[in-house]
Each structure stands twice: as structure tokens, then as C-alpha cells.
């Protein structure tokens, strides 16, 4: 999609997100606006509000919480659509703000080993390509390990991203042992004086015990070289995913100490509302969001922006 | 993670066990629980609402059968209606057009199009004996065309040679041309992942459709998809025109409510299920099974089917005969362990059983996983032939040797011996009671083995 990369780079990430969420917010905000043509907040209005939140993947339980909170404070009182939007955005923002933390690389560990994991098709390889470029621009020496030795052509895919980002890729033959490759990758990275080492992994469903054990083995093996590695363990989540994202976080966190999340495909109409539930339950940092297939389509995660985009508010200075 | 619908309804109806018919208040309470259960299963809200409305009509005034609780009655009503909405009978891939028949796969990025393409190609070429050609139209994602080429080799299905720089519509035309000239029956077109709001890309998909006139346009969608399923399915249907849905990652633990949403939004049947990473992990869709899964009721039919598929009938009969004669040795135990592993191991078996969510959690905590099966087999392999036939030979020193030989501990060896003794104990009982007794109770310490299905 090279043709589309150039012209959209100039706008800020909020602009991009809004553009991505464009249709979503339109339907959503007109929806929220539509609800509050009545002046008083009554049961029916609350029902509709709850439905909207559920429609954004916030989940049944959380949506009910927000509804209760609103009902508590505003029931039977005169309200305006904007007030309600701000209250809901504020509520979501409060849940998300503590977890909106950028990915900070501790220079004390060199190389800083970043293991990137997740279920199939969430965008691990693409995310590594984008992150590698950002750190390259920041003047870091970055190496990639093509640890997805299972999926056909995943190694080539990462190699192409390596070329685009301008960093070397350590790879083995397809079907090779992922843990052995990780070991070799770290050994080479130390020899080359690499600052940051990204390790790609094969996508795996979180309920497959054998594949999850394999992941734990990768971590165990690299500890033989550096006991503090991996220094970061990033779980990549697809924003299109519904309530199952909670199960994913839970299962991966059980296997490896997760350090943070990256959420991809937020440029679609999926609203990623499950993040609010994840933030509340697991308190894991959300480092960045993916909003496109281009190498620059990765942005820091900002709580207020997502909260506002979810309820259809478009000014940044709220909250 | 989620309570099943039956659990939820259990609490609602606990107080009203003795009622004869369901009145409106009970139904309302129950339907609220149904609503939450469906939403937690990621069924889209508009679909849930419609569903609840029609259930309400049916449920009020329903006579509760004496043998079941009102909760079970509602679950049954909900289940039946779900099956109906998911589309009665399962429909296969349409192969009635004049060859070469084009089949186009579309969907979001990372939904599993390429893998599904290879699985479908393999299935059509092996079980249905069709000559199949695959072509990747994904010129955007790095190495996407290589991926299909590699999978083609694994599936032993030819792929269209890659011409660098050629655009999707041109590739599609070339694929159909090659299909015509070389006498292929089916041409599978694997398109690039695209967002349904990406205008340019949707125009491209429609252009590919117009150029190839496909008999099937399958939307490939992840079973884990959330509320967005309706929007995306509607958009693809509107812009490209779908004929069916292929649901992927059904081997995950998502409830798969998205399937219901997409079916309702497009009216297109779910035609295929992706159930694993291997190329033969593709299944036909069965509405009743997915309905049970959405409601958290397990999937007994799949279990039985899988058992009958993988279990060697002859071996099972041999085992049964040994049972009757009262001669069951370690070799037979090893054979049974192998059968269990073939059926997908503990996890695979448990996932299909209804109401074992709790057991499953306990299993996970106790780390009783497939390793147990493998270790038990290793232990038996480390026994001498004489030991396998006669458990009495196994004294302390022999057990030590077996533990060392199999890389396990004496405790592990003792466990296997104990398991064997329990089984042969059951066997003796069975000989006294006749076969029925054991069928009803199953064997201690073992998930259902071949003889439970015999």
C-alpha cells in the first residue's frame, strides 16, 4: 500500500485515528447524539447508552458499570448530549490513563531483548517492522530475529521489514527450532553491539498448552546468556477481537511476565473497547497502537484520544 | 473465563424449581441472562436484540417438562433457535459451475485467508479429486505470495507462478487463463487482507470479482471477532457480494458469536471452519455444534465423531476381546495412551466435553497435560517384554531401572502401575457384571477411551 503512505503522514496521530475511526465515530456520535434528544436521563436512555458501549466491545459487565455510575449521578436530571459524552469519555479515560505508557528502553541492558508474542494474525511481524524503524530513527542499533519459523514465508516477511527499517535480521531455515534461533540471535546481537533486539515469534492460540510451553522455552533459553532477558515482553492484540482478548491476555501473562500491550488494526471500524476492560483487570501498559500497514503507522497510545474517539468527542482538551 | 448460559440460568431458576409453566417475569429474568451470555460470546448487539425478541414470544407459556428444570427448558429453546438462525443444514462449497470454477477469498488482514486457501485447495484436490490451482493476489503484504507458494508445496497443489509487479486484477485474469488452458477444475484466488472501509481496496476486490465471475466469494473471518463483525460482514457483502463465510481459529477458546452476527448480517451460510494450524485442519460447519459452543455447552458430537475417526476399529475390538478374557497388559495400556494422543490429547478431549470448564482449569493448575500421556508411554517402553505382560515382576529395583530408562521418577512409574492395576481391577468387575456396568461408569482415572464408544 505504498501509494497511500505519503500523503497521510503529515497529520498528527489523533487525526489519523479520527480518520480511521471516522465512520465509526460518525455513526457512534450521531447515535449518542440521537439518544439524548430527550432532556431527562431516564431508564430507556440508559438502556440505549449501555447498548452503545456494548457495541464498542466494552463488554456487558463494564457497560453496566458505566450505566450504573451515570444513573447514580444524573438520573432524572436535565442533561445535554455533550455532558453525557464527556462523563462517559471521562470514565473511560480514567480507566485508560494509568496504562498509557510509552515503550521505554532501559539502556542498562544492552542489548535490550524485546520478545513479541500473540495469537495468529494480530500483526506481530508488521509491528516489529514499525518499531524497528522508530528506534532506528532514534539512533539505536536494532537487530531482528525471525523467530516465526513455522508460518510459511514469515521469515521473508520480516527480512523485507528489516530492509525497510535498515536493520540486520538473524534467521534460520523454516521449521528450525525457535528457541535455538533466539539463543543464536542474542549471541550475535551481543557480538555486534546491538542496542535493541526484537524477537518475532510464531502466532499461537493461547489455549494450546504445547505451543505456549514452546514460548516459555524461548524465554528460558535466552536467559542462559542474559539472566535478565527478555527485558520486554510485548503482547500484540488485534482491535477487531472481542471479549476473547481478555482470555488472551490472561493466558499469555500466565506463561510469561508481560511488560506491555500493542493494539493493532485500530484504523478499521472496530473500536477496541475491550481495552478498557483489559486495562481495568490487568493494569498492563498499552504502549502503542497500529493504524495502518505503512512503516510509520504506529502511534503512542493516548487514553484521552481513544476515549474521545469512542464517544464521538473531537477536541483534545477535554477530560 | 465466562460462565456458561446453563450456569447463569441455574441461579435465576433455583428459586422456581417447582413451577409448572414459565410466566413472563421468569422469562424476563432468564432472557436478561441469555442476553449477557450472548454478548459475552461476541454476538453483535442488534442480532442479540432480535434474537431475544423472538425467544420471548416462544418461551412465555411454555410447559416445563417434568424431567427438566425451567432453566434447562430455556436453554433448549435458545439452543434450538440459535441452530435455526445459524442456518439449519450445513452447506458445502458450490462446485457446479463450468470449470475452471473461480473461488475468491476475502477478509481483513490476519484473518487467515492464505492458510484457509491452502486448506481448501488440499481438501478439494484430495477428497473431492478436483484439479486445483491457487493464485495469490496479495501484492501488498511483504512475502505474501511466497507464503501461498510454500503452502502450495506442502499441500501438493500447484500455485500460479509469481510475476513481479503484476497487479491483482491482472493476476486474477492470468490465473483464470492458465486454469482454462491447463484444464483446472477450480481456481482459488487468495486476495490481500483489506479493511472494509478502505475504498480503494474494496474497489479492487470488486474488480477481481468482475474479472473472474467466481462461483463462491468466501469471507474469511476470525472466530474471535467482536461486535465489529456485523459492520465488516455487511460492508464486504455490499461491496463484493458474498456467498459464504469461512470461520477461522475455531480451535481457540472464543465462543464464536461472530458467526451468528455475520450470518444474520449477510444471510450467507458459514461453510467452513478452520480448526488448527495443519493443512488438514478444516471442517464442515454444523449449526448445532456452534450453537452449543456459543452457549458454552461443549461439543459432544465432535468428540464422538473424532473418536470414531481416529480410533482404529480393529485395535479397539482386539482390546475389547482382551478385556473379556481378563487379559489386559501394559502393551494394551500403551496402545490406549496412543489413541488418546491421536485424538488431540487431554486438552483436545476436554475442550469438547460439556460442563468441564472447571475440570479444565484444575487440569491446567495441576499441570496434568499431554506430558503425562507421553511420559506414561515412555515408562511402558522402558519395561521388558516380560514386565509388560506381568505386573508382579515389578519390584523396587526394576522400577528404579525403568524410571532411569524413561527419564522419569519412581513416583511416575508407580503412578502408571497404579493406573494399570485400577484398570485391570475394573476389568475383573466388568467380567462379573457384564459389559454394561463399565460402559455406564467409565474407567477410573481415565478420560473416555475407545471402549466407551464401542
Amino acid at each position: 500500500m505504498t501509494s497511500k503512505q505519503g500523503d497521510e503522514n503529515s497529520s498528527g496521530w489523533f487525526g489519523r485515528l479520527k480518520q480511521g475511526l471516522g465512520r465509526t465515530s460518525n455513526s457512534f456520535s450521531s447515535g449518542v447524539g440521537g439518544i439524548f434528544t430527550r432532556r431527562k436521563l431516564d431508564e430507556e436512555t440508559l438502556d440505549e447508552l449501555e447498548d452503545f458501549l456494548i457495541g464498542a466491545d466494552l463488554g456487558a459487565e463494564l457497560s453496566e458499570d458505566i450505566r450504573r455510575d451515570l444513573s447514580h449521578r444524573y438520573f432524572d436530571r436535565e442533561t445535554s448530549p455533550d455532558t453525557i459524552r464527556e462523563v462517559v469519555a471521562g470514565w473511560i479515560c480514567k480507566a485508560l490513563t494509568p496504562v498509557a505508557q510509552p515503550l521505554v528502553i532501559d539502556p542498562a541492558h544492552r542489548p535490550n531483548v524485546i520478545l513479541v508474542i500473540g495469537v495468529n494474525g494480530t500483526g506481530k511481524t508488521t509491528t516489529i517492522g514499525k518499531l524497528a524503524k522508530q528506534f532506528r530513527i532514534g539512533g539505536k542499533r536494532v537487530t531482528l530475529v525471525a523467530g516465526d519459523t513455522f508460518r510459511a514465508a514469515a521469515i521473508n516477511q520480516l527480512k523485507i521489514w528489516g530492509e525497510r527499517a535498515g536493520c540486520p535480521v538473524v534467521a534460520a531455515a523454516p521449521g528450525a527450532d525457535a528457541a535455538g534461533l533466539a539463543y543464536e540471535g542474542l549471541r550475535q546481537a551481543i557480538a555486534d553491539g546491538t542496542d535493541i533486539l526484537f524477537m518475532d515469534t510464531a502466532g499461537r492460540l493461547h489455549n494450546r498448552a504445547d505451543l505456549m510451553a514452546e514460548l516459555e522455552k524461548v524465554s528460558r533459553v535466552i536467559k542462559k546468556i542474559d539472566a535478565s532477558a527478555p527485558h520486554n515482553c510485548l503482547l500484540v492484540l488485534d482491535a477487531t477481537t472481542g471479549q476473547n482478548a481478555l482470555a488472551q491476555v490472561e493466558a499469555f501473562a500466565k506463561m510469561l511476565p508481560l511488560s506491555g500491550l500493542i493494539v493493532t488494526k485500530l484504523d478499521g471500524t472496530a473500536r477496541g473497547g475491550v481495552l478498557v476492560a483489559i486495562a481495568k483487570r490487568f493494569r498492563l501498559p498499552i504502549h502503542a497502537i497500529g493504524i495502518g500497514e505503512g512503516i510509520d503507522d504506529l502511534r503512542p497510545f493516548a487514553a484521552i484520544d481513544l476515549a474521545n474517539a469512542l464517544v464521538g468527542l473531537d477536541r483534545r482538551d477535554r477530560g | 473465563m465466562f460462565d456458561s448460559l446453563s450456569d447463569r440460568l441455574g441461579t435465576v431458576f433455583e428459586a422456581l424449581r417447582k413451577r409448572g409453566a414459565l410466566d413472563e417475569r421468569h422469562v424476563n429474568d432468564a432472557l436478561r441472562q441469555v442476553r449477557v451470555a450472548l454478548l459475552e460470546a461476541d454476538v453483535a448487539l442488534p442480532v442479540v436484540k432480535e434474537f431475544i425478541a423472538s425467544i420471548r414470544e416462544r418461551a412465555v407459556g411454555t410447559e416445563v417438562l417434568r424431567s427438566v428444570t425451567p432453566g434447562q427448558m430455556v436453554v433448549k429453546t435458545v439452543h434450538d433457535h440459535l441452530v435455526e438462525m445459524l442456518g439449519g443444514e450445513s452447506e458445502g462449497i458450490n462446485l457446479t459451475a463450468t470449470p475452471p470454477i473461480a473461488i475468491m477469498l476475502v477478509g481483513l488482514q490476519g484473518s487467515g485467508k492464505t492458510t484457509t486457501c491452502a486448506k481448501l485447495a488440499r481438501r478439494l484436490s484430495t477428497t473431492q479429486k478436483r484439479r486445483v490451482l491457487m493464485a495469490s493476489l496479495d501484492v501488498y503484504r511483504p512475502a505474501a505470495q511466497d507464503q501461498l507458494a510454500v503452502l502450495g508445496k506442502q499441500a501438493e497443489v500447484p500455485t500460479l507462478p509469481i510475476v513481479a509487479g503484476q497487479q491483482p486484477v491482472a493476476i486474477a485474469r492470468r490465473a483464470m487463463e492458465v486454469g482454462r488452458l491447463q484444464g483446472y477444475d477450480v481456481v482459488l484466488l487468495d486476495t490481500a487482507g483489506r479493511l472494509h472501509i478502505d475504498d480503494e481496496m474494496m474497489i479492487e476486490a470488486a474488480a477481481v470479482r468482475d474479472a473472474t465471475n467466481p462461483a463462491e466469494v468466501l469471507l474469511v473471518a476470525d472466530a474471535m471477532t467482536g461486535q465489529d463483525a456485523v459492520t465488516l460482514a455487511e460492508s464486504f457483502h455490499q461491496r463484493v457480494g458474498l456467498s459464504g463465510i469461512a470461520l477461522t481459529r475455531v480451535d481457540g477458546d472464543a465462543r464464536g458469536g461472530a458467526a451468528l452476527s455475520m450470518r444474520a448480517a449477510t444471510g450467507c451460510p458459514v461453510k467452513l471452519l478452520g480448526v488448527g494450524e495443519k493443512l488438514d485442519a478444516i471442517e464442515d460447519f454444523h449449526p448445532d455444534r456452534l450453537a452449543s459452543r456459543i452457549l458454552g455447552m461443549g461439543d459432544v458430537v465432535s468428540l464422538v465423531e473424532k473418536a470414531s475417526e481416529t480410533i482404529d476399529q480393529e485395535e479397539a475390538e482386539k482390546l475389547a476381546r482382551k478385556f473379556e478374557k481378563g487379559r489386559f497388559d501394559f502393551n494394551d495400556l500403551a496402545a490406549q495412551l496412543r489413541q488418546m494422543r491421536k485424538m488431540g490429547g487431554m486438552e483436545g478431549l476436554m475442550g469438547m466435553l460439556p460442563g468441564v470448564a472447571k475440570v479444565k482449569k484444575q487440569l491446567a493448575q495441576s499441570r496434568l497435560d499431554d506430558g503425562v500421556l507421553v511420559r506414561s508411554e515412555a515408562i511402558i517402553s522402558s519395561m521388558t517384554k516380560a514386565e509388560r505382560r506381568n505386573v508382579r515382576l515389578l519390584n523396587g529395583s526394576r522400577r528404579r531401572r525403568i524410571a532411569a530408562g524413561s527419564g522419569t521418577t519412581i513416583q511416575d512409574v508407580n503412578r502408571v502401575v497404579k493406573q494399570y492395576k485400577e484398570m485391570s481391577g475394573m476389568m475383573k468387575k466388568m467380567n462379573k457384571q457384564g459389559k454394561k456396568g463399565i460402559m455406564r461408569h467409565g474407567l477410573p482415572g481415565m478420560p473416555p477411551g475407545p471402549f466407551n464408544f464401542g
Side-chain angles (χ1 to χ4, degrees), chain A residues 4 51 54-55 57 120 151-152 156-157 205-207 240 242-244 248 250 265 267 269-270 281, chain B residues 1 35 42 45 49 109 141-142 146-147 195-198 224 226-228 249 251-253 277 347:
Chain A
K4 284 189 255 159
D51 290 350
I54 289 170
D57 281 323
N120 318 62
R151 182 168 59 90
N156 279 347
Q157 190 186 348
L205 285 173
H206 51 284
N207 60 341
T240 325
Q243 300 306 303
N244 192 250
Q248 291 176 24
E250 190 180 33
K265 305 182 200 172
D267 46 337
T269 49
R281 187 179 306 175
Chain B
M1 173 153 281
R35 179 176 183 271
D42 289 320
L45 189 65
K49 283 186 164 171
Q109 287 91 346
R141 198 184 58 155
D146 299 346
Q147 187 186 349
L195 281 172
H196 48 290
I197 50 167
D198 189 332
M224 299 183 274
Q227 296 286 323
D228 200 38
R249 298 187 195 122
D251 50 328
D253 59 1
E277 295 186 332
E347 193 123 2

Side-chain angles (χ1 to χ4, degrees), chain B residues 249-261:
Chain B
R249 298 187 195 122
V250 178
D251 50 328
D253 59 1
R255 287 280 168 76
L260 184 63
S261 310

Side-chain angles (χ1 to χ4, degrees), chain A residues 40-116:
Chain A
K40 281 186 177 172
L41 191 66
D42 55 18
E43 279 296 333
E44 201 183 329
T45 316
L46 284 168
D47 279 349
E48 285 174 41
L49 175 78
E50 191 184 337
D51 290 350
F52 262 108
L53 297 173
I54 289 170
D57 281 323
L58 263 86
E61 199 183 318
L62 198 57
S63 304
E64 213 182 304
D65 285 353
I66 297 178
R67 175 211 169 106
R68 205 175 302 124
D69 185 57
L70 267 180
S71 155
H72 216 63
R73 289 199 264 166
Y74 294 96
F75 193 74
D76 239 5
R77 279 170 50 188
E78 304 255 329
T79 49
S80 72
D82 264 353
T83 316
I84 293 300
R85 280 187 216 184
E86 279 177 35
V87 171
V88 176
W91 205 100
I92 294 172
C93 189
K94 209 177 102 193
L96 289 176
T97 302
V99 299
Q101 299 165 21
L103 176 58
V104 179
I105 300 301
D106 182 358
H109 302 293
R110 198 159 169 275
N112 194 298
V113 180
I114 304 179
L115 195 61
V116 181

